[in-house]
Amino acid sequence: MADDDLQRLVQRRLMELSSSAQAASRRAQWAIAPETIARIAAGRHSGMVSERLAAALARALDVPENRVRRVVGLPLVEDSRADVCTGPHLRVVRDDGRLA
């Protein structure tokens, strides 16, 4: 169950950020390889997620660390970014091309 949740989180955040696995890895200062991010997004990650990996993945996805930890079943930690809004940054475009 957690693997599916993690896959959906990674896919959704990459889409929301209009980001690639390479760019996400760069955001985490290469603490997580782009191949690992791509494997998770494709649903091919079958290992345990360590605390260190969860922290790096949170930086890569630009989400609070507890969001990743909750999905993979790790205990929550004190997180100064807990109140950061990471909702989608989507714009609605009308048929006539104007922003709604």
Side-chain angles (χ1 to χ4, degrees):
M1 177 77 165
D3 287 342
D4 290 343
D5 293 342
L6 181 60
Q7 177 187 5
R8 284 194 296 270
L9 173 63
V10 171
Q11 288 174 341
R12 185 176 60 248
R13 284 304 291 164
L14 290 177
M15 183 195 66
E16 288 173 354
L17 296 169
S18 296
S19 185
S20 66
Q22 182 86 9
S25 180
R26 188 177 314 114
R27 220 177 354 268
Q29 299 177 336
W30 307 106
I32 182 171
E35 295 83 9
T36 302
I37 296 171
R39 250 191 330 271
I40 294 170
R44 295 188 320 250
H45 183 268
S46 60
M48 284 270 303
V49 175
S50 68
E51 293 191 9
R52 192 168 146 193
L53 179 60
L57 190 56
R59 284 193 312 274
L61 300 175
D62 196 26
V63 296
E65 184 177 343
N66 280 333
R67 189 162 173 194
V68 175
R69 293 175 74 90
R70 191 175 300 113
V71 166
V72 298
L74 290 173
L76 302 183
V77 295
E78 183 67 34
D79 188 354
S80 61
R81 295 190 60 211
D83 294 329
V84 172
C85 177
T86 60
H89 307 287
L90 304 175
R91 296 183 302 188
V92 177
V93 179
R94 292 184 167 159
D95 288 340
D96 59 7
R98 297 181 316 167
L99 291 178

